[in-house]
Amino acid sequence: MSEISGNASAIAAQKKTEADSYSPTPEILELWNTVHDELRDEFGEAVFRSWLKPLTLQACYHGTLEVSVPTRFMRDWIQTHYAARILQMCEQKNAGMRRLEIVVVQSAHAFGAAEEKKAAIQPKANQNVRESEDSYAHCAPFDPRFTFETFVVGKPNALAHAAARRVVESQNVPFNPLFLYGGVGLGKTHLMHAIGWALKKHWPEKRVMYLSAERFMYQFVRALRAKDAMAFKEAFRSVDVLMIDDIQFISNKESTQEEFFHTFNALVDQNKQIIISADKAPSDLLGLEERLRSRLAWGLVADIHPSTYDLRLGILQSKRALLQATIPDAVLEFLALKVTSNIRELEGALNRIVAHADVTKQPVTLESTQDVLQDLLRSHDRRITIDEIQRKVAEHYNIRMTDMHSARRARNVARPRQVAMYLAKHLTTRSLPEIGRKFGGRDHTTVMHAVRKIEELMKDDAQIAQDVEVVRRALTG
Ligand code: ADP
Ligand code: MG
């Protein structure tokens, strides 16, 4: 079955994995040039010049011919009036051509004649570069690994995940913008790509654009240099969903902020969904203009908290299933406990032990894991002292350092003290009696009780779990 599609959005990821068969071969170029010429004969000079001349071959993969036009309007027009015939003509010359994909590419040179284009579409070494260089409107490809199916939900990311789902499932715009923020490696980009994939599936007609703020700035500067600001504006203002990752990047970049602010307002006015990510809450993005900061906080602001032990374990289990690797539970538990900085590093650790087992043809064990990850674990175990732990915990709970050693049993000091004991057990190599001594000469059973108590509380008290993680990060990060 032949198929014609004008959906310019999000096809990129698919292509990425097909990079090998992506560039048009000389035969395909030849085919296209012939068809392009024949279009003039068939439809006459006037129609050709108005509509068909700007058609530019971009790529060919798996029987799909991808051609570009400079505007959406043009795309829609060609789609309804000429696409079927163009595909037919291509099929007659090469039976393998089954699909015609018309994309909008708004670059200065997209207006040129087909001949001038030949040089521009010669196969290039890196297809990803081609993706982004060609146009202002081209979005970055979505990573096939980052979907909702592979995103593990836990307390730290539940709100962000639910909000992302809402955006995908809602007929109209539920909140604008959706602002996702959290530390590095906690899953912001993953969630945005997941939204991209799901939108592509549920609403194939929607134009979805995803790019990093860095890319946004690069495109903008390039447009200015090419005196092409109008094309840039049109490209960004004609999407249905705009996702900008890592907005903190445009801190202190005044003119980019200005342009972004206008793009933002134009899209909100048209009731188009905007999704932004950052490493901080809007109010903490100090390099951003005040009016932009307050605008960013208008919709739903969802933070992703540092991961908890449970979430880390869940992610490791899910990764293990995906990798179809045989890894003992004890190893996953060990990693979840030790590699706490961020999920990216956690995944890296898991990949390393799996790769090692693969190469050595040895099963994964706790010993081999400790061996392979020596350097990583050492950096995490970096001589944290009990003193340091006590100080950080006292700071966090706003109690006095002396309360760590005192006999006071009031909950507001006893609980932090237990947290400190728990961390001392996990972050140092001190024995229980040694730890007890450091806490005002307490018995080792008291320490053991504290460790168990905190472990239990962390399971169903999100506040405690978060407190522990924050202090742990402050100590190990
Ligand atoms: P960020 O953009 O916040 O810096 P990423 O989205 O790039 O972080 O995530 C880093 C890595 O961790 C990615 O490989 C991602 O798939 C993984 N990851 C993060 N959170 C989760 C989660 N909840 N479930 C599964 N994988 C996750
Ligand atoms: Mg990211």
Side-chain angles (χ1 to χ4, degrees):
M1 261 300 280
S2 297
E3 195 185 338
I4 298 164
S5 159
N7 173 28
S9 65
I11 44 171
Q14 212 174 311
K15 288 184 215 157
K16 193 182 167 194
T17 54
E18 300 171 350
D20 296 341
S21 49
Y22 187 97
S23 296
T25 58
E27 295 84 75
I28 298 294
L29 271 173
E30 169 83 13
L31 176 150
W32 174 250
N33 287 333
T34 314
V35 168
H36 202 238
D37 286 343
E38 286 176 11
L39 288 172
R40 178 188 271 125
D41 301 337
E42 179 150 343
F43 292 103
E45 189 62 30
V47 166
F48 182 78
R49 216 153 349 110
S50 316
W51 301 109
L52 304 170
K53 192 173 170 198
L55 275 171
T56 303
L57 179 61
Q58 292 289 344
C60 180
Y61 46 90
H62 291 210
T64 296
L65 213 54
E66 183 185 302
V67 294
S68 69
V69 290
T71 66
R72 268 175 61 193
F73 180 70
M74 211 158 196
R75 182 198 62 194
D76 296 343
W77 187 268
I78 295 173
Q79 191 74 63
T80 34
H81 294 85
Y82 308 107
R85 177 62 188 142
I86 297 174
L87 179 62
Q88 203 178 29
M89 288 161 77
C90 294
E91 269 180 314
Q92 279 163 3
K93 300 198 166 30
N94 180 337
M97 296 293 111
R98 292 186 312 274
R99 231 170 102 88
L100 184 71
E101 185 96 44
I102 306 177
V103 300
V104 180
V105 170
Q106 244 142 352
S107 63
H109 61 250
F111 294 87
E115 282 69 34
E116 294 165 18
K117 306 297 297 176
K118 277 186 209 157
I121 48 176
Q122 285 308 323
K124 284 185 195 158
N126 184 343
Q127 292 305 327
N128 294 335
V129 173
R130 178 204 157 274
E131 287 283 346
S132 32
E133 278 183 352
D134 263 352
S135 84
Y136 305 121
H138 239 150
C139 73
F142 295 124
D143 190 317
R145 294 167 306 159
F146 295 172
T147 61
F148 277 122
E149 287 71 38
T150 57
F151 191 82
V152 180
V153 186
K155 275 189 190 137
N157 57 29
L159 175 64
H161 174 261
R165 279 271 186 211
R166 268 292 290 288
V167 165
V168 171
E169 281 152 19
S170 299
Q171 180 80 48
N172 31 37
V173 177
F175 18 71
N176 223 357
L178 167 58
F179 189 96
L180 302 169
Y181 77 92
V184 66
L186 296 183
K188 301 181 294 294
T189 298
H190 187 138
L191 263 186
M192 289 177 117
H193 285 225
I195 292 173
W197 285 116
L199 284 172
K200 187 173 139 69
K201 191 163 145 216
H202 292 298
W203 314 97
E205 71 286 358
K206 281 195 182 171
R207 282 172 300 271
V208 180
M209 196 190 303
Y210 163 87
L211 75 171
S212 66
E214 186 175 7
R215 182 98 238 152
F216 179 87
M217 180 170 122
Y218 168 76
Q219 312 269 57
F220 177 57
V221 171
R222 207 163 57 93
L224 289 184
R225 230 176 259 147
K227 305 218 177 349
D228 206 14
M230 281 315 290
F232 176 87
K233 281 183 207 298
E234 208 218 318
F236 278 93
R237 291 171 195 188
S238 61
V239 301
D240 295 309
V241 179
L242 177 64
M243 295 194 263
I244 306 264
D245 206 351
D246 290 320
I247 196 79
Q248 72 274 5
F249 184 84
I250 61 168
S251 290
N252 303 316
K253 314 267 170 35
E254 276 90 27
S255 53
T256 304
Q257 278 182 40
E258 169 97 21
E259 181 59 31
F260 176 71
F261 184 72
H262 293 308
T263 304
F264 186 102
N265 287 336
L267 288 174
V268 170
D269 286 348
Q270 295 173 63
N271 208 22
K272 307 294 189 182
Q273 178 73 59
I274 299 174
I275 304 164
I276 306 285
S277 87
D279 63 350
K280 295 186 199 67
S283 54
D284 294 332
L285 287 168
L286 296 180
L288 292 196
E289 274 181 71
E290 172 53 30
R291 59 173 184 171
L292 183 53
R293 263 189 283 153
S294 65
R295 201 76 157 91
L296 289 174
W298 272 19
L300 181 78
V301 177
D303 53 345
I304 306 185
H305 295 279
S307 64
T308 56
Y309 173 81
D310 284 343
L311 179 60
R312 288 193 294 274
L313 190 59
I315 290 172
L316 288 170
Q317 284 162 342
S318 137
K319 281 286 275 185
R320 173 173 63 184
L322 283 174
L323 292 169
Q324 298 186 321
T326 315
I327 307 168
D329 287 339
V331 168
L332 298 190
E333 285 158 16
F334 175 77
L335 290 177
L337 200 62
K338 291 288 183 182
V339 187
T340 57
S341 44
N342 67 53
I343 309 298
R344 192 172 297 138
E345 197 162 60
L346 188 67
E347 285 186 338
L350 187 69
N351 290 338
R352 263 170 74 183
I353 60 168
V354 170
H356 183 266
D358 230 33
V359 171
T360 59
K361 306 254 181 295
Q362 297 291 315
V364 176
T365 63
L366 204 48
E367 289 72 43
S368 72
T369 300
Q370 279 166 320
D371 211 37
V372 174
L373 300 180
Q374 242 179 40
D375 53 331
L376 183 77
L377 297 173
R378 207 176 310 124
S379 75
H380 284 278
D381 279 346
R382 165 192 68 85
R383 326 163 290 289
I384 295 167
T385 63
I386 294 183
D387 259 15
E388 232 179 309
I389 293 172
Q390 292 175 330
R391 201 159 354 100
K392 278 276 187 284
V393 172
E395 247 169 51
H396 181 83
Y397 285 100
N398 208 7
I399 60 173
R400 283 168 304 155
M401 184 67 176
T402 50
D403 285 328
M404 288 291 160
H405 314 122
S406 80
R408 286 180 60 201
R409 282 156 170 250
R411 171 75 78 81
N412 68 324
V413 295
R415 191 68 86 224
R417 199 189 291 129
Q418 287 178 323
V419 167
M421 289 185 206
Y422 166 89
L423 287 170
K425 176 74 188 84
H426 283 294
L427 299 178
T428 73
T429 49
R430 299 311 182 92
S431 65
L432 294 177
E434 278 176 306
I435 295 172
R437 269 198 295 282
K438 284 278 193 179
F439 283 83
R442 285 180 159 77
D443 192 68
H444 77 276
T445 53
T446 310
V447 180
M448 200 158 66
H449 171 76
V451 172
R452 292 222 180 107
K453 181 79 196 168
I454 297 302
E455 269 167 5
E456 240 164 63
L457 284 174
M458 279 169 67
K459 288 207 184 94
D460 21 56
D461 186 335
Q463 187 58 52
I464 289 261
Q466 195 191 324
D467 288 344
V468 171
E469 282 306 316
V470 168
V471 179
R472 189 206 294 271
R473 276 164 60 92
L475 288 160
T476 57

